[in-house]
Amino acid sequence: MKVLIKKAISKLSLLNLFEKINFYRIKFKNKKKNTIFLKKYPTIKMPNDYFMYETFNLDYHKVYFGGKETANWIINHFQKYMDFSHKNILDWGCGSGRVLRHLPNIINKTNKVFGTDYNKEYTNWCKQHIENVTIKENLLSPPLQFEENFFDAIYGISIFTHLSEKMHQLWFKELHRVTKKSGIIILTTHGKCFRNKLTKKEQKKFDAGLLIEHTFKKEGNRLYASYQPPTFFKQLCKTYGFDVLEHIAGSIKNHKPQQDVWILQKNTL
């Protein structure tokens, strides 16, 4: 039902108005606890409210401490497959640094941390407020501003979830280019847990292994949603030279679907 409502709103060209109303609704809802957060942690710099709304959540505590938790989670996964020293690590689609800002304090100083995003407002904020990281801009499509075989570790949290099938292919090829041999990549997708967000017709296509796209806004925006059947994603990995080390299927937590996690390794062939 929500999908049909969004489609109707989009066709009526009311989506921008709907988004603005929703933003202010959530901002008002969280005003009290966000004010408490700022008083309790006056030295913590937070991004523009709309940046947080667009990329994750407008709850300052969840943005900051949830980002720290996610950063630790990512590094723990990487450490299962590599000795994490003297490595180049990339936050692909870093947004306004929710996860990226914590990495320099988690990994040792021999490592180099990089972030890249297609939204210049986000990257400008990161450049001004996050220390000990190198920030680059990219476009919605490749290439990245890095040489071949540069990164030992790359992660992209909920990036492919907002890209078209064409961009899936282009970015897989580009990620392969910038990753070192045997390098590790962590990605998340909308897997089977998100099936109920699809119409009956879309569910049949999803079950047949086809990517589903909800193009309510322009590609890359959070309202442009893609849903990746595991068979579709596994084939992409195989086609573009990655071995699947782990596929952790998402589950339902607090009545909300969680994204699938993919841990990949660049082929040495």
Side-chain angles (χ1 to χ4, degrees), residues 4-116:
L4 297 177
I5 292 173
K6 285 183 179 179
K7 285 183 177 180
I9 292 173
S10 181
K11 286 182 179 180
L12 292 171
S13 300
L14 295 174
L15 200 54
N16 286 338
L17 176 61
F18 176 82
E19 275 291 278
K20 187 171 290 187
I21 292 171
N22 194 48
F23 164 68
Y24 283 110
R25 179 186 67 83
I26 295 175
K27 182 172 181 174
F28 178 78
K29 178 183 176 182
N30 292 339
K31 182 178 180 180
K32 183 177 179 180
K33 59 182 174 182
N34 286 344
T35 300
I36 292 172
F37 176 93
L38 293 176
K39 289 181 178 178
K40 188 174 182 179
Y41 305 103
T43 62
I44 295 178
K45 302 295 184 182
M46 299 301 293
N48 175 286
D49 279 354
Y50 200 74
F51 292 178
M52 289 184 278
Y53 170 76
E54 280 192 310
T55 58
F56 180 70
N57 193 301
L58 198 42
D59 182 321
Y60 292 1
H61 192 278
K62 289 182 179 179
V63 170
Y64 186 81
F65 289 104
K68 185 176 182 179
E69 182 179 339
T70 300
N72 278 294
W73 174 83
I74 288 169
I75 296 304
N76 287 338
H77 274 304
F78 280 134
Q79 288 178 329
K80 291 187 290 185
Y81 300 101
M82 64 173 64
D83 172 21
F84 223 82
S85 61
H86 297 91
K87 298 294 191 293
N88 291 335
I89 179 172
L90 174 67
D91 184 329
W92 173 56
C94 64
S96 52
R98 182 180 71 91
V99 176
L100 178 67
R101 69 190 302 170
H102 299 287
L103 289 184
N105 298 321
I106 294 173
I107 57 180
N108 69 57
K109 304 304 180 183
T110 68
N111 298 289
K112 295 181 180 180
V113 181
F114 300 80
T116 188

Side-chain angles (χ1 to χ4, degrees), residues 45-48 51 55 91-102 104 113-137 155:
K45 302 295 184 182
M46 299 301 293
N48 175 286
F51 292 178
T55 58
D91 184 329
W92 173 56
C94 64
S96 52
R98 182 180 71 91
V99 176
L100 178 67
R101 69 190 302 170
H102 299 287
V113 181
F114 300 80
T116 188
D117 200 279
Y118 83 107
N119 188 313
K120 290 186 178 181
E121 289 184 306
Y122 298 164
T123 55
N124 285 339
W125 191 90
C126 291
K127 288 176 182 178
Q128 293 170 18
H129 297 95
I130 303 178
E131 298 180 348
N132 301 315
V133 299
T134 299
I135 304 296
K136 299 284 188 180
E137 290 85 21
Y155 65 90

Side-chain angles (χ1 to χ4, degrees), residues 164-225:
S164 65
E165 184 167 356
K166 178 182 177 180
M167 288 301 175
H168 276 65
Q169 296 168 355
L170 291 176
W171 277 112
F172 252 93
K173 184 177 180 180
E174 177 66 1
L175 291 174
H176 188 276
R177 182 186 73 82
V178 298
T179 305
K180 293 181 181 179
K181 288 184 178 180
S182 300
I184 305 297
I185 297 184
I186 297 175
L187 303 168
T188 67
T189 62
H190 287 148
K192 290 182 179 180
C193 269
F194 289 80
R195 187 177 179 276
N196 287 338
K197 290 185 174 290
L198 308 177
T199 64
K200 295 296 183 183
K201 184 177 180 180
E202 290 171 338
Q203 287 178 359
K204 290 182 180 180
K205 292 182 178 180
F206 182 91
D207 293 343
L210 300 177
L211 180 75
I212 305 300
E213 300 171 39
H214 287 168
T215 57
F216 301 127
K217 291 197 77 172
K218 66 179 182 179
E219 191 168 0
N221 185 274
R222 72 185 188 89
L223 293 181
Y224 186 113

